[in-house]
Amino acid sequence: MAAAGPDKPRVLVTRKMMPDAERRIAAEFRATLNPDDRPMGKDEILTRAAEHDAILLTSFDKLGPEFIPDLPPSIRIIATHSVGYDHLSIPQAKAKGIAVTNTPGVLTDATADIALLLMLGAARGASWGDRMVRENRWGETTLVSPMGHDVSGRRLGILGMGRIGQAVAKRARAFGMEIHYHSRRAVGPEDSHGARYHAAFEDMLPHCDFLSINCASTPETRGIVNARTLALLPDGAIVLNTARGDIVDDEALIGSLTQGKLAAAGLDVFKGEPNIDPRYRSLDNVFLLPHIGSATPGTRSAMAHKCIDNLAQFFRGERPTDLLTGD
């Protein structure tokens, strides 16, 4: 569906957005929308991009390493409906002169809420408890089995103390948790919520009954949660991931879960999603969610409006607020 207005910039929107955002982008641009929410492959996006000046895409779009180099010269800006941008090559975009923006800030609370859901769900056995009720196996419960794990008063380690990590720390305080964190640099006292800073990731791990992964996927963090680092956690620790799947070595995590090193895991993101390692589905001590950290109407609407704001700024000749390809 395309909006009229021959003098307006042409924007290709690869997935269906919230209705208020679609109305706005259709009014402000010559927008090609996707009302049926039909997934487009890389080749289709590249072909349709030739008739547009900009692309509003999402982390659901699986684009591959040659996407940016193969874009037609008409594309001047890409707005990604996500905070993470590991599905795009920023160096390639800069080399090709294409601006790239993302949507930080507006999904902090929703994602932090999911991190706490993962913590509680993994620790207290939400997956197997739900199945027992649905399968009419409630009668199998006894005073000693099955059992979950305490959350209140335990130790939480946060990998990545950005906006989302800080929001997780704030929520964890309500459970009386002792909080530790590792980031590239320490944050101020008003943002740490009393958490203790560890300059080295490895130094934090022995203090983590729970490890919450909240960092960006970068060359430095990909695979940082691996057999070596998982071995540094206390026995019976629980790992939570709302960041990106490739930060975790699946083989190492699954091994730690099956061999008893870890008590449980709560995962909202996976490497290669939605085609996840099938072994996760068979593990009773893993609480699984389908990457829904930002999946509330208010959050998804705010993310879309962030994209539109950035596009509008760019085509007015202004620097977009959330520019990733700037100096």
Side-chain angles (χ1 to χ4, degrees):
M1 178 171 71
D7 297 328
K8 296 178 180 178
R10 304 163 299 173
V11 179
L12 173 64
V13 183
T14 62
R15 299 299 296 259
K16 183 175 178 60
M17 298 188 302
M18 297 300 293
D20 59 319
E22 290 195 336
R23 288 192 295 269
R24 180 185 167 196
I25 198 168
E28 296 187 19
F29 301 96
R30 281 186 287 164
T32 302
L33 303 178
N34 185 354
D36 299 324
D37 207 18
R38 179 181 58 82
M40 299 182 193
K42 183 189 76 169
D43 291 341
E44 181 179 357
I45 294 173
L46 289 172
T47 299
R48 303 187 78 175
E51 302 171 354
H52 296 83
D53 306 298
I55 305 175
L56 195 167
L57 50 74
T58 77
S59 59
F60 295 141
D61 298 307
K62 306 305 178 185
L63 304 171
E66 295 306 312
F67 177 72
I68 296 289
D70 288 346
L71 279 170
S74 63
I75 296 300
R76 299 166 57 194
I77 179 172
I78 297 171
T80 181
H81 190 284
S82 61
V83 172
Y85 47 88
D86 49 303
H87 53 297
L88 295 168
S89 170
I90 302 304
Q92 287 180 344
K94 292 177 74 171
K96 200 173 173 72
I98 297 174
V100 179
T101 66
N102 66 339
T103 63
V106 294
L107 69 165
T108 299
D109 286 333
T111 304
D113 290 347
I114 288 291
L116 268 293
L117 173 62
L118 291 177
M119 182 186 298
L120 293 168
R124 298 305 304 269
S127 293
W128 51 256
D130 179 80
R131 284 198 298 274
M132 290 186 78
V133 176
R134 292 180 186 278
E135 296 170 6
N136 197 27
R137 295 191 291 115
W138 193 329
E140 297 176 14
T141 61
T142 73
L143 293 178
V144 296
S145 177
M147 288 206 183
H149 307 273
D150 290 323
V151 174
S152 296
R154 304 299 295 279
R155 300 172 297 173
L156 169 66
I158 297 174
L159 173 57
M161 199 64 156
R163 292 183 181 94
I164 296 171
Q166 292 169 28
V168 171
K170 180 180 179 181
R171 286 156 172 76
R173 276 287 166 217
F175 290 88
M177 302 188 86
E178 176 186 307
I179 306 172
H180 301 256
Y181 75 97
H182 167 71
S183 283
R184 288 176 294 178
R185 62 186 68 87
V187 300
E190 69 281 3
D191 296 322
S192 69
H193 300 283
R196 174 185 167 191
Y197 175 62
H198 297 264
F201 178 49
E202 291 82 357
D203 291 344
M204 178 183 75
L205 293 173
H207 305 279
C208 302
D209 299 312
F210 292 83
L211 173 64
S212 180
I213 302 169
N214 301 107
C215 61
S217 173
T218 68
E220 293 73 31
T221 63
R222 286 173 199 137
I224 194 173
V225 179
N226 53 43
R228 180 181 65 83
T229 53
L230 287 171
L232 298 175
L233 290 168
D235 291 346
I238 294 174
V239 172
L240 319 165
N241 192 3
T242 55
R244 284 292 185 268
D246 61 5
I247 296 168
V248 174
D249 180 327
D250 284 336
E251 194 68 38
L253 181 59
I254 291 169
S256 296
L257 288 164
T258 56
Q259 294 162 19
K261 169 63 179 178
L262 297 179
L267 307 174
D268 185 46
V269 292
F270 304 85
K271 185 176 181 179
E273 60 188 45
N275 300 311
I276 71 172
D277 190 311
R279 290 176 292 177
Y280 281 124
R281 299 189 181 99
S282 65
L283 295 177
D284 280 337
N285 57 345
V286 183
F287 181 49
L288 307 173
L289 294 176
H291 200 156
I292 58 171
S294 65
T296 70
T299 300
R300 291 279 170 86
S301 178
M303 292 171 71
H305 283 286
K306 266 267 191 184
C307 291
I308 300 168
D309 290 342
N310 285 311
L311 290 169
Q313 290 170 330
F314 177 84
F315 286 113
R316 287 197 302 263
E318 302 169 6
R319 179 187 175 92
T321 300
D322 304 303
L323 184 67
L324 296 169
T325 47
D327 296 329

